[in-house]
Amino acid sequence: MQRESALLLIAASMLVASCTGGEAVGPPTTIVTGAVTRQGMPVSDAIVSFEPVDEQGQHAQAFTDDDGRFDVSIYVNNKTIKRGMAPGHYRVTVRQVESPSGKSTLSPPKNLLPEKYASPATSELEATIDLQNPTELTFEIDG
């Protein structure tokens, strides 16, 4: 019985390796976590987006929880989510949209944060990510 279990485990491992090519999916990444605050208070339910400034980076995003904390992920091949970020220099945007509770969904949601943080062209928030160490970021929203 042990021999059959061992053979089944080996066969399953070979099947998984052949389906994935035996390699990790996507670019090398490092774990990136952080927090968003405004006037010292956590910003919950916000979308934090990282737009690469250089060719090394890859678009990434995260959502803040009730404590304003986030954990960044990237999409690989437009379908697989991988935790972490590729190294590089990024412009960071943060949006906190009003929930549509009872309102018409035909109108666009209202951003509850200052508009300058919604666009990579106007946001002053930046981050540099390297592969050597996990990165902890803190973004303070003014206004």
Side-chain angles (χ1 to χ4, degrees), residues 42-63:
V43 176
S44 63
D45 301 320
I47 303 162
V48 184
S49 297
F50 295 81
E51 298 295 333
V53 174
D54 55 30
E55 294 179 15
Q56 187 178 4
Q58 179 178 341
H59 175 80
Q61 89 177 20
F63 297 92

Side-chain angles (χ1 to χ4, degrees), residues 83-101:
R83 184 175 182 220
M85 286 179 65
H89 187 71
Y90 294 86
R91 183 64 54 101
V92 181
T93 63
V94 182
R95 291 175 291 131
Q96 182 187 40
V97 295
E98 182 178 53
S99 60
S101 60

Side-chain angles (χ1 to χ4, degrees), residues 10-33:
I10 291 169
S13 298
M14 289 173 59
L15 178 63
V16 169
S18 68
C19 290
T20 63
E23 299 177 13
V25 176
T29 59
T30 190
I31 301 302
V32 178
T33 58

Side-chain angles (χ1 to χ4, degrees), residues 111-130:
N111 183 7
L112 302 175
L113 299 175
E115 280 303 313
K116 75 176 186 177
Y117 296 105
S119 168
T122 56
S123 177
E124 300 165 351
L125 304 176
E126 295 184 350
T128 300
I129 308 301
D130 67 45

